Amino acid sequence: MRNRFCRGGWRRCFSYSGRKSWLVFLLFIVLWFYTMTSFILLNRNEEGTDSQLLKGKILDLSKRYVKAVALEKGGRGVGKIIPDVEGSYDIKKTLAVLIDNLLTRVDHLENKVNALSAPRPGLDAAVATHWTMRNDTKMVSTSKLASESVDESSDHKAVKPQGIVENQRRPRELAGEDQVEIPGDLRPGSLKHKLQQLEGKCSYTDEELTGFPNCMKKTEWMRMFWNSDKCYGYHGVDGTDCSIFLYLSEVEKWCPKFSWRPKISIPIKQSGPKAIIQKDKNILFAMMDNPEKFRWMKMRISRMWDTLWMPAVEALDQRGELSGREQKKILIHLGLLTKESGFKIAEKAFSGGPLGELVQWADIITSLFILGHDISLSYSTHRLTNLLRSKGIAKSSCPTDSNMPFDVVYIDIVGLKQMRKSTGGVFNQFKCMLRVIDTFGTEPAFNAEHYAKATGHRSSWGKWNLVPRQFMTMFPHTPDNSFMGFVVEHYPPAKRKQTAVRQQRALVYGKDLAMWKDASRYLNTIHEKFEIHGTVFQNETVQFQAALPSYVRNHGIVNGTRIQQLLQETKLFIGLGFPYEGPAPLEAIANGCIFLNPSFDPPKNAKNTKFFEGKPTQRAFSSQHPYAEMFIGKPHVWTVNIYNRAELEGALQEISNIGTVEPLLPFEYTCEGMLQRVSVYVQHQDYCSSALPTWPPLSALQVMTADDDVSCKKACSNLGLVCEPSFFHHINKKSAIEEHFATTCSSEESVEDVYPPALKQGRFRNKCYLQLTDILFSCAGSKTGYRRLCPCRDFIHGQVALCRDCL
C-alpha cells in the first residue's frame, strides 16, 4: 500500500510529505499573522481599545507560542538548527527556532535603545520627567468623547485616535509610594519630601491663566491623546498633568510657564546679513515664474519701476531710513492665486475681474524685494508643500525642535487654511510669524475663537486666535489691525499733462456690467452736464446693450497706461456704489479728478447687505469709499446720495463750476510711504516674543477716557489721535482706571470681552473691569453702561500707521 503511493521509497516519500507539511505550516503562520493583524485593526476601528495594550498582549502570546513550539520540537540552543534522526530538517522546528532567535535579538535591541533614551540635553531635562504609573486599566469606548473634545479648528485634529484606555497613564493625585524621576535642581531632601514639594506645583490659578484662553482646552486634549503621536513622548509627555503642562508651556506655548521652573537660557541670536537695496526687477520677475498667475502684476510693476519705485527708495536711502537693517527670511504665499481657491483672480484680470487684491499683493512683493529681504514665493498648494519640505518642515501633529526657516510669513486667509493643512501641528509655530493680508480686516470679536462662539460672531474667515495686529488691511479703517495699504499708480508731476481746464467729461468706475445695474436714472442726471465714458468689458450680448446707456462711450478693458491717460483728461470719476473700498478712486484723485462717492443711508453692514455677510467685521459703510470720505473730502471727494435728485443736481452744479482741482495723493499711498511703512513693520513688529510689546515706543502713549458706550477708536479720533492696541497691556490695571477716572473702584473683575479695561459707575459703588484675554483687546469695542480707558497715540501726518517716535 505504501509503495502504491510512494514508489520512490521511504526516504523519497518522507521528503515529499515533509515538504508538504512545511508548506502547510508556513501557510498557517501567514494566516495567523493576518488574523492577528485584522484583530488589531478591527478592535481599533470598532471597539475603541488601546492599541498599545493589544500590541503588548499579542507580542507576549507570540513569544510564548514560539518558545513552546521550539521546546516541543527539540530546539536546545538559540540560533541552532537540529537535524532529525532521518537526516532531514524539520521545517517547523527550524522556523520555531529562527523566530525565537529573532525575538531574542529584538528584546536585546529594545533593551539597548531603552538604555540610551535619556532626556535630550537640547530640551530642559525636567521636561522629560517620567512618572511611573501603576493604575489599573479598564477598556472603554470613547469615540464620541474624542469627537466632542477636539474642535474642528484645532491644530491637533489630524490625529484623533478612536479609543483610549481609561485611567491608563492618566493624571491623578500623587501618592507617596509612586516612583518619580525628578531633575537634579529639585532634590533638596528625601523622595517623600520631594513629592510633597511637587504636589500642587503643576497647577494654575485663574489669574495665572489670564491671557492663555486655550490652555485648559489643549490640556484636556493632551490628557486623552498624548500617546497619539510619538513626538509628544519625545518631548517628555507621559500622560501626567505635570508633563503635559510643561510641554504646553515650554514647547507649544499654550499655557503660562511655571514660576518655579528654571529659566532656560536662550542663546543670543547672531546678527544675520544686512538688507541691501535691490534695483534689478529681472531678479524679482524670475521668481514670478508662472506667466498666467503673474502677467498682470508684472505689467504693473514694470510701469511703475523706473518712474515711481526707484526714486522712492533713493529718497528713503538718502534720509538714512534704510541703513543698518537686518535681512529677514520671508515666505510669501498667495492663497488667492491657487487653483484650490477657485477665485481665478489672475485669469480674470484682463476681462473685468477685481484687481484690488492683485494691486496690493504686487506692491507688497515689490516692497519686500526692493528693501533687500530674502523672499520665497509660493502660489500653489503643491509649491507650498515642496517649499516647506525643502526647508525641513514636514507635516506633523507635534512641533518641530529645529530652527524655523522663516522670520516672517505674508499670507492671506485662504492661504492660512492651506498652510495649516500642509503643516499640521507645526502650524502653531508659524502663527507668531504670520502677517495676514486681509482686505476688510478682522476685528478681535471674530478673531478670538472662544469668544466668537460664545457670542455668536460667526464667520468662516475668523477664529484664528492671532494677535489682531497680525491682520493687515488695505485701508486704515480699524486700529485693531495693521494698515498695510498699497501704492496708488499715478503720473509723477514731470510727466503729468498740463491742462488749464479739464473737459466736462465723466468716467464711470465699473468694469463689470453687473455694476451698472439700475444705474441709468442716476447716470441720466449726470449726462445732462457731463459726457460719460466707461471701461466696461465689451461683448455684443443683448444684456450688454440693454444695461449700458446709448450715450456712454465705452473704451472696453484698457491697460494701466491708458487708464492714466483717461484720468488726465477727465474731470469727474463716478462711483456706482460697488465695489467697496477699491484703489481706483484714489488713482483718479491722484490724477486730478473729482470723485463722486455714493453715500448709504442706512449704512451698509453684515445685517443688511449680503456682500458683508460672514465678513469678520461689524463695520458699517456710510459710503462706497469711507477712506475717501473721511480722510480726503472736498473738493476732491463729494459724498452724495445719488438717488436724491435734488442733492445730486446741487453737487453736480458746484462741481461744474469748479475749475482745476490739484491732484492729491496721501503720502501713505505713495511708493515712498509704502516702503517706509513696510520697512518699519518688518524690523519692529514682533509677535513671537513672550515679553510685552516694545513697539510702538511707550513714549507715544496718551491715555484717554471714553464716554458711556463709546469705542476707543472714536474717543481717540475725537482728540486727533489714533487708538493703539499694543498699549492696552500697560493700562489694563485697576490702578490705571482709578487714576485716570479720578475715582476708587469698590471691586474689580477680569472678563473676556471687547470693552475692558473699563469702569462701570454706580450710584454708590464703582466697579473696574479688566481684560482676561489679550487677543480680545479692542479699539472698536464698546458696551452700554461702561466707560472705556483708551490707549491713544499721535501719528505722522500722511502716515497714520506710524507715530512720530516710531521711525
Side-chain angles (χ1 to χ4, degrees), residues 460-699:
S460 59
W461 305 95
K463 297 180 289 188
W464 286 101
N465 294 317
L466 301 177
V467 176
R469 295 282 283 171
Q470 290 179 256
F471 296 97
M472 308 190 114
T473 60
M474 185 171 279
F475 291 93
H477 43 64
T478 171
D480 292 316
N481 302 149
S482 295
F483 164 52
M484 171 55 73
F486 58 95
V487 173
V488 172
E489 187 175 359
H490 64 285
Y491 274 116
K495 293 192 174 184
R496 195 176 294 151
K497 281 188 177 182
Q498 302 298 324
T499 54
V501 179
R502 293 182 182 240
Q503 304 176 42
Q504 291 293 94
R505 176 186 295 178
L507 181 64
V508 176
Y509 176 26
K511 295 175 297 180
D512 193 312
L513 191 63
M515 300 175 187
W516 292 67
K517 184 180 179 181
D518 302 326
S520 295
R521 180 163 56 94
Y522 163 46
L523 294 176
N524 290 341
T525 304
I526 298 175
H527 179 54
E528 294 174 3
K529 294 184 179 296
F530 292 88
E531 176 186 315
I532 298 180
H533 292 242
T535 54
V536 189
F537 180 63
Q538 183 77 41
N539 62 59
E540 302 300 330
T541 63
V542 175
Q543 292 85 351
F544 178 85
Q545 296 173 0
L548 208 66
S550 59
Y551 52 74
V552 175
R553 181 182 174 185
N554 183 36
H555 299 266
I557 299 298
V558 297
N559 60 33
T561 301
R562 179 56 181 150
I563 281 288
Q564 298 295 313
Q565 293 172 350
L566 286 173
L567 292 174
Q568 288 280 298
E569 301 166 357
T570 300
K571 184 171 186 178
L572 184 64
F573 192 64
I574 304 172
L576 296 176
F578 186 86
Y580 308 110
E581 287 189 321
L586 296 189
E587 289 186 15
I589 296 167
N591 281 284
C593 289
I594 295 171
F595 175 48
L596 191 61
N597 183 32
S599 64
F600 303 140
D601 186 18
K604 294 190 176 185
N605 54 41
K607 295 180 179 179
N608 60 23
T609 305
K610 187 175 181 180
F611 178 84
F612 295 109
E613 289 180 4
K615 299 284 192 302
T617 176
Q618 293 179 311
R619 276 201 306 141
F621 281 63
S622 58
S623 67
Q624 180 178 352
H625 209 288
Y627 178 87
E629 176 188 1
M630 293 182 288
F631 288 88
I632 300 178
K634 294 180 180 180
H636 303 87
V637 179
W638 291 67
T639 302
V640 178
N641 182 351
I642 60 176
Y643 296 109
N644 184 321
R645 185 177 178 86
E647 184 179 342
L648 176 61
E649 288 180 340
L652 291 173
Q653 183 62 48
E654 291 188 59
I655 293 171
S656 298
N657 296 332
I658 295 176
T660 302
V661 175
E662 287 299 318
L664 174 67
L665 179 57
F667 176 75
E668 56 201 1
Y669 284 102
T670 64
C671 285
E672 190 174 337
M674 180 85 175
L675 286 168
Q676 182 188 65
R677 186 167 58 253
V678 172
S679 178
V680 172
Y681 279 164
V682 172
Q683 295 300 316
H684 295 291
Q685 282 189 333
D686 180 9
Y687 304 108
C688 294
S689 173
S690 58
L692 290 178
T694 57
W695 188 90
L698 201 56
S699 59

Side-chain angles (χ1 to χ4, degrees), residues 341-365:
S341 72
F343 293 153
K344 296 185 178 180
I345 290 179
E347 293 81 354
K348 295 179 180 179
F350 298 95
S351 59
L355 298 177
E357 289 82 359
L358 295 181
V359 166
Q360 189 177 32
W361 273 112
D363 297 343
I364 292 170
I365 295 170

Side-chain angles (χ1 to χ4, degrees), residues 726-745:
S726 301
F727 291 149
F728 270 117
H729 297 85
H730 299 284
I731 65 171
N732 189 42
K733 306 171 184 176
K734 177 184 174 183
S735 58
I737 296 176
E738 291 178 331
E739 176 187 351
H740 292 283
F741 280 102
T743 188
T744 301
C745 295

Side-chain angles (χ1 to χ4, degrees), residues 296-313:
W296 192 92
M297 287 191 192
K298 290 166 78 171
M299 290 175 62
R300 173 180 171 83
I301 295 169
S302 292
R303 287 196 308 269
M304 299 167 58
W305 191 267
D306 293 327
T307 58
L308 298 178
W309 284 112
M310 290 299 101
V313 72

